[in-house]
């Protein structure tokens, strides 16, 4: 498997507030990296830096070995290759679902309209919304809107998809319909970086989990370790706050391979 994304010691501050102090991570093609951590620890900022919505102050970000940070010129290309879906549905309210979905592929990718329409319909059907192509976003439920937002991002054929708490604003009964789409994309080999507070989903979807706190990566481990025998006390406390306590029968880890030293 080849490395698709490298984040190397990035730093980002707002005014005098250092939000990302020293964050490094790597992602292989087809893998899913889940980022968890307390509110305000810099998760959204990290995703925004990765797709160029924020400029970093130090370090570098590479896509397939090519530096993409600090190059404003290619920003639109970076955003095309690295798609993002946010917590709030950002569909255009004055456009029908199909027009929302065709806009990017036709305008930015230069696809013929018929092809864009066919691909959009196929993808809508895949998320169970084939009958919603002609409606306006306001007539959809929150869960349906987020599924459309996922479809819209996928139709841009991104190399990586970044998902920032995409179910956080949804009523509980709609969360799983959206997360199931994400699980389906993951099974299909979509490379993703996912920020979520849904711990069970995180465990199911992740190949790697990164625990971020105070702008630093505190622990990085596969989900079976992170969720059941986390190696740092801070991760343990964080998981306990979600009632996601490590299983009692789990043995303590032999080594501290997942613990990462953070700059003071
Ligand atoms: N555009 C901005 N301007 C100033 N401060 C910001 C901005 N975006 C985020 N921050 C601050 O950065 C910190 C981390 O925010 P964020 O990345 O949204 O955290 P998380 O997503 O983990 O909750 C917070 O203290 C937040 O107030
Ligand atoms: Mg956030």
């Amino acid at each position: 498997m080849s490395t698709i994304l490298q984040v190397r010691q990035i730093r980002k501050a707002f005014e005098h507030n250092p939000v990302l102090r020293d964050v490094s991570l790597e992602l292989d093609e087809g893998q899913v990296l889940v980022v968890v951590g307390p509110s305000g620890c810099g998760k959204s900022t990290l995703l925004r830096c990765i797709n160029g919505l924020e400029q970093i102050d130090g370090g570098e970000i590479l896509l397939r070995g090519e530096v993409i940070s600090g190059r404003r010129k290619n920003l639109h290309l970076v955003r095309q290759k690295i798609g993002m879906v946010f917590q709030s549905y950002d569909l255009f309210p004055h456009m029908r679902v199909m027009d929302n979905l065709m806009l990017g592929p036709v305008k930015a990718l230069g696809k013929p309209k018929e092809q864009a329409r066919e691909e959009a319909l196929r993808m809508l059907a895949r998320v169970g919304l084939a009958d919603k192509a002609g409606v306006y976003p306001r007539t959809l439920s929150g869960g349906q809107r987020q599924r459309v937002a996922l479809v819209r991002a996928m139709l841009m054929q991104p190399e990586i998809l970044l998902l920032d708490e995409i179910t956080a604003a949804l009523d509980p009964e709609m969360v799983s319909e959206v997360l199931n789409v994400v699980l389906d994309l993951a099974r299909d080999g979509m490379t993703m970086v996912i920020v979520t507070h849904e711990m069970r989903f995180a465990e199911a979807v992740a190949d790697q989990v990164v625990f971020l706190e105070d702008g630093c990566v505190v622990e990085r481990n596969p989900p079976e370790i992170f969720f059941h025998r986390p190696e740092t006390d801070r991760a343990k406390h964080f998981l306990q706050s979600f009632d996601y306590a490590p299983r009692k029968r789990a043995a303590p880890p032999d080594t501290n391979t997942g613990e990462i030293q953070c700059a003071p």
Side-chain angles (χ1 to χ4, degrees):
M1 234 181 307
S2 62
T3 304
I4 185 163
L5 179 73
Q6 290 162 288
V7 171
R8 289 189 185 152
Q9 296 186 300
I10 65 166
R11 288 184 289 110
K12 173 72 187 174
F14 293 107
E15 304 284 321
H16 297 295
N17 176 20
V19 174
L20 301 178
R21 295 192 292 141
D22 174 8
V23 174
S24 298
L25 43 93
E26 279 204 3
L27 186 59
D28 282 343
E29 201 163 354
Q31 283 217 312
V32 175
L33 179 78
V34 167
V35 180
V36 298
S39 178
C41 72
K43 304 179 296 295
S44 295
T45 304
L46 172 62
L47 294 194
R48 293 168 59 82
C49 287
I50 292 174
N51 90 332
L53 284 170
E54 300 283 358
Q55 289 288 300
I56 57 176
D57 302 327
E60 55 184 7
I61 300 171
L62 294 87
L63 181 66
R64 295 195 191 280
E66 210 178 299
V67 177
I68 55 168
S69 49
R71 298 197 175 174
R72 289 199 157 270
K73 232 175 42 199
N74 296 331
L75 216 50
H76 66 287
L77 277 179
V78 169
R79 298 220 182 109
Q80 208 164 292
K81 289 178 179 172
I82 305 181
M84 188 155 171
V85 180
F86 302 87
Q87 173 177 327
S88 59
Y89 347 100
D90 48 355
L91 303 171
F92 292 115
H94 60 288
M95 292 168 71
R96 294 172 198 272
V97 165
M98 180 53 77
D99 295 323
N100 263 286
L101 296 178
M102 286 172 62
L103 189 67
V106 171
K107 294 270 186 242
L109 302 182
K111 290 207 173 177
K113 280 192 177 169
E114 266 326 293
Q115 187 188 343
R117 188 186 310 278
E118 270 169 36
E119 288 174 3
L121 269 179
R122 208 174 312 136
M123 199 66 198
L124 267 183
R126 185 168 156 189
V127 305
L129 296 175
D131 56 336
K132 299 296 184 189
V135 308
Y136 286 96
R138 66 171 179 277
T139 68
L140 300 175
S141 71
Q144 289 171 332
R145 270 183 256 176
Q146 280 303 61
R147 281 186 277 160
V148 173
L150 281 167
V151 168
R152 189 174 62 169
M154 287 299 293
L155 289 170
M156 292 302 286
Q157 301 171 323
E159 298 193 32
I160 305 174
L161 195 55
L162 311 177
L163 307 181
D164 192 3
E165 298 200 42
I166 61 167
T167 59
L170 296 180
D171 291 333
E173 69 270 21
M174 291 170 190
V175 169
S176 63
E177 72 187 40
V178 174
L179 296 184
N180 283 335
V181 170
V182 180
L183 281 167
D184 182 45
L185 294 176
R187 277 191 292 264
D188 211 32
M190 187 67 213
T191 311
M192 292 185 273
V193 182
I194 302 178
V195 171
T196 183
H197 286 300
E198 300 287 338
M199 294 299 144
R200 262 166 232 294
F201 162 71
E203 187 179 355
V205 80
D207 295 297
Q208 288 285 326
V209 183
V210 157
F211 175 57
L212 205 63
E213 200 175 54
D214 296 334
C216 286
V217 176
V218 174
E219 180 165 335
R220 176 174 51 224
N221 262 318
E224 55 276 19
I225 293 183
F226 181 80
F227 288 107
H228 298 293
R229 38 193 177 96
E231 292 175 353
T232 57
D233 285 339
R234 289 156 89 180
K236 266 177 219 164
H237 287 138
F238 173 76
L239 289 170
Q240 277 160 1
S241 73
F242 281 89
D243 258 345
Y244 212 90
R247 287 178 201 146
K248 287 213 172 62
R249 60 184 169 78
D254 300 324
T255 55
N256 272 355
T257 50
E259 178 161 3
I260 290 154
Q261 291 304 317
C262 203

